[in-house]
Amino acid sequence: ETLARLGDDSVRTDIGKATFHVPSLRHLIGMKLHALAHGRSARGTKDLADIEALARANAVDVCSQEFRELCLRYATADIHEEIRSHPQG
């Protein structure tokens, strides 16, 4: 079921003769938020850095209500606050 939802919202990308389906930005961030909430000790700060890089590269407003709701769906309010409080330089 999760893979089907990812596929429905993926972006088709052709590289050479191969076709790839890349998860949407929303799903990429959602997966990183989930990993951050449930596996932080094993992965350190990698997922946090990845979320910040995705947000910066795609002009995501981490203070927006939409981003907050994404954080609450896949992680926690504390994680949203942590992301929000980091400089987006």
Side-chain angles (χ1 to χ4, degrees), residues 23-65:
S24 69
L25 177 61
R26 181 175 177 81
H27 279 129
L28 283 172
I29 292 174
M31 287 186 286
K32 290 291 181 178
L33 286 166
H34 179 81
L36 189 59
H38 299 283
R40 187 174 215 159
S41 61
R43 297 180 53 87
T45 59
K46 180 181 180 348
D47 292 304
L48 179 61
D50 288 347
I51 292 166
E52 290 172 345
L54 285 167
R56 197 171 34 256
N58 293 280
V60 173
D61 180 1
V62 298
C63 296
S64 70
Q65 183 62 28

Side-chain angles (χ1 to χ4, degrees), residues 2 4-5 8-9 23 28 36 38-39 53 56 64 72-73 76:
T2 300
R5 284 190 306 222
D8 290 344
D9 197 28
L28 283 172
L36 189 59
H38 299 283
R56 197 171 34 256
S64 70
L72 294 177
R73 179 173 181 180
T76 66

